[in-house]
PDB file of all heavy atoms in Angstrom:
ATOM      1  N   VAL C  93     137.800  77.315  71.042  1.00 89.00           N
ATOM      2  CA  VAL C  93     138.202  76.409  69.972  1.00 89.00           C
ATOM      3  C   VAL C  93     137.073  75.421  69.667  1.00 89.00           C
ATOM      4  O   VAL C  93     136.749  75.192  68.510  1.00 89.00           O
ATOM      5  CB  VAL C  93     139.511  75.666  70.360  1.00 89.00           C
ATOM      6  CG1 VAL C  93     139.793  74.538  69.360  1.00 89.00           C
ATOM      7  CG2 VAL C  93     140.674  76.642  70.401  1.00 89.00           C
ATOM      8  N   ASP C  94     136.469  74.920  70.700  1.00 90.00           N
ATOM      9  CA  ASP C  94     135.358  73.976  70.503  1.00 90.00           C
ATOM     10  C   ASP C  94     134.253  74.597  69.662  1.00 90.00           C
ATOM     11  O   ASP C  94     133.772  73.996  68.708  1.00 90.00           O
ATOM     12  CB  ASP C  94     134.777  73.545  71.858  1.00 90.00           C
ATOM     13  CG  ASP C  94     135.651  72.492  72.526  1.00 90.00           C
ATOM     14  OD1 ASP C  94     136.578  71.973  71.851  1.00 90.00           O
ATOM     15  OD2 ASP C  94     135.420  72.215  73.719  1.00 90.00           O
ATOM     16  N   ASP C  95     133.892  75.823  70.045  1.00 88.00           N
ATOM     17  CA  ASP C  95     132.833  76.526  69.299  1.00 88.00           C
ATOM     18  C   ASP C  95     133.227  76.682  67.844  1.00 88.00           C
ATOM     19  O   ASP C  95     132.438  76.435  66.927  1.00 88.00           O
ATOM     20  CB  ASP C  95     132.597  77.925  69.891  1.00 88.00           C
ATOM     21  CG  ASP C  95     131.838  77.843  71.191  1.00 88.00           C
ATOM     22  OD1 ASP C  95     131.346  76.737  71.517  1.00 88.00           O
ATOM     23  OD2 ASP C  95     131.728  78.865  71.886  1.00 88.00           O
ATOM     24  N   PHE C  96     134.501  77.112  67.666  1.00 88.00           N
ATOM     25  CA  PHE C  96     135.003  77.373  66.320  1.00 88.00           C
ATOM     26  C   PHE C  96     134.977  76.094  65.494  1.00 88.00           C
ATOM     27  O   PHE C  96     134.439  76.058  64.392  1.00 88.00           O
ATOM     28  CB  PHE C  96     136.433  77.926  66.448  1.00 88.00           C
ATOM     29  CG  PHE C  96     137.109  78.149  65.137  1.00 88.00           C
ATOM     30  CD1 PHE C  96     136.690  79.147  64.278  1.00 88.00           C
ATOM     31  CD2 PHE C  96     138.183  77.345  64.748  1.00 88.00           C
ATOM     32  CE1 PHE C  96     137.314  79.360  63.072  1.00 88.00           C
ATOM     33  CE2 PHE C  96     138.810  77.554  63.537  1.00 88.00           C
ATOM     34  CZ  PHE C  96     138.387  78.551  62.689  1.00 88.00           C
ATOM     35  N   VAL C  97     135.516  75.045  66.074  1.00 88.00           N
ATOM     36  CA  VAL C  97     135.593  73.778  65.360  1.00 88.00           C
ATOM     37  C   VAL C  97     134.191  73.297  64.980  1.00 88.00           C
ATOM     38  O   VAL C  97     133.960  72.868  63.853  1.00 88.00           O
ATOM     39  CB  VAL C  97     136.328  72.721  66.225  1.00 88.00           C
ATOM     40  CG1 VAL C  97     136.181  71.320  65.602  1.00 88.00           C
ATOM     41  CG2 VAL C  97     137.797  73.092  66.352  1.00 88.00           C
ATOM     42  N   ARG C  98     133.304  73.452  65.918  1.00 87.00           N
ATOM     43  CA  ARG C  98     131.942  72.986  65.653  1.00 87.00           C
ATOM     44  C   ARG C  98     131.342  73.705  64.441  1.00 87.00           C
ATOM     45  O   ARG C  98     130.773  73.094  63.546  1.00 87.00           O
ATOM     46  CB  ARG C  98     131.060  73.215  66.886  1.00 87.00           C
ATOM     47  CG  ARG C  98     129.876  72.251  66.948  1.00 87.00           C
ATOM     48  CD  ARG C  98     129.078  72.423  68.235  1.00 87.00           C
ATOM     49  NE  ARG C  98     129.899  72.242  69.430  1.00 87.00           N
ATOM     50  CZ  ARG C  98     130.012  73.126  70.418  1.00 87.00           C
ATOM     51  NH1 ARG C  98     129.367  74.267  70.357  1.00 87.00           N
ATOM     52  NH2 ARG C  98     130.771  72.873  71.473  1.00 87.00           N
ATOM     53  N   SER C  99     131.552  75.018  64.381  1.00 86.00           N
ATOM     54  CA  SER C  99     130.933  75.750  63.280  1.00 86.00           C
ATOM     55  C   SER C  99     131.667  75.511  61.967  1.00 86.00           C
ATOM     56  O   SER C  99     131.050  75.485  60.909  1.00 86.00           O
ATOM     57  CB  SER C  99     130.834  77.238  63.594  1.00 86.00           C
ATOM     58  OG  SER C  99     132.052  77.728  64.063  1.00 86.00           O
ATOM     59  N   VAL C 100     132.980  75.340  62.043  1.00 86.00           N
ATOM     60  CA  VAL C 100     133.739  75.090  60.809  1.00 86.00           C
ATOM     61  C   VAL C 100     133.414  73.709  60.272  1.00 86.00           C
ATOM     62  O   VAL C 100     133.197  73.513  59.074  1.00 86.00           O
ATOM     63  CB  VAL C 100     135.250  75.243  61.070  1.00 86.00           C
ATOM     64  CG1 VAL C 100     136.050  74.730  59.887  1.00 86.00           C
ATOM     65  CG2 VAL C 100     135.591  76.695  61.341  1.00 86.00           C
ATOM     66  N   GLN C 101     133.318  72.751  61.207  1.00 85.00           N
ATOM     67  CA  GLN C 101     133.006  71.384  60.785  1.00 85.00           C
ATOM     68  C   GLN C 101     131.656  71.313  60.110  1.00 85.00           C
ATOM     69  O   GLN C 101     131.467  70.564  59.166  1.00 85.00           O
ATOM     70  CB  GLN C 101     133.023  70.456  61.996  1.00 85.00           C
ATOM     71  CG  GLN C 101     134.396  69.833  62.195  1.00 85.00           C
ATOM     72  CD  GLN C 101     134.417  68.902  63.398  1.00 85.00           C
ATOM     73  OE1 GLN C 101     133.561  68.979  64.259  1.00 85.00           O
ATOM     74  NE2 GLN C 101     135.419  68.038  63.435  1.00 85.00           N
ATOM     75  N   SER C 102     130.744  72.143  60.579  1.00 86.00           N
ATOM     76  CA  SER C 102     129.397  72.069  60.031  1.00 86.00           C
ATOM     77  C   SER C 102     129.348  72.492  58.579  1.00 86.00           C
ATOM     78  O   SER C 102     128.382  72.201  57.883  1.00 86.00           O
ATOM     79  CB  SER C 102     128.439  72.920  60.867  1.00 86.00           C
ATOM     80  OG  SER C 102     128.721  74.281  60.648  1.00 86.00           O
ATOM     81  N   ILE C 103     130.392  73.194  58.100  1.00 85.00           N
ATOM     82  CA  ILE C 103     130.400  73.516  56.666  1.00 85.00           C
ATOM     83  C   ILE C 103     131.508  72.759  55.919  1.00 85.00           C
ATOM     84  O   ILE C 103     131.934  73.152  54.831  1.00 85.00           O
ATOM     85  CB  ILE C 103     130.518  75.050  56.424  1.00 85.00           C
ATOM     86  CG1 ILE C 103     131.553  75.676  57.349  1.00 85.00           C
ATOM     87  CG2 ILE C 103     129.180  75.756  56.562  1.00 85.00           C
ATOM     88  CD1 ILE C 103     131.861  77.129  57.064  1.00 85.00           C
ATOM     89  N   ASN C 104     131.973  71.684  56.531  1.00 84.00           N
ATOM     90  CA  ASN C 104     132.908  70.756  55.880  1.00 84.00           C
ATOM     91  C   ASN C 104     134.150  71.398  55.284  1.00 84.00           C
ATOM     92  O   ASN C 104     134.432  71.250  54.106  1.00 84.00           O
ATOM     93  CB  ASN C 104     132.187  69.981  54.772  1.00 84.00           C
ATOM     94  CG  ASN C 104     131.259  68.933  55.350  1.00 84.00           C
ATOM     95  OD1 ASN C 104     131.560  68.345  56.406  1.00 84.00           O
ATOM     96  ND2 ASN C 104     130.139  68.710  54.689  1.00 84.00           N
TER      97      ASN C 104
END
Side-chain angles (χ1 to χ4, degrees):
Chain C
V93 170
D94 282 350
D95 285 350
F96 176 69
V97 169
R98 205 175 303 125
S99 49
V100 169
Q101 268 180 341
S102 71
I103 43 173
N104 286 326

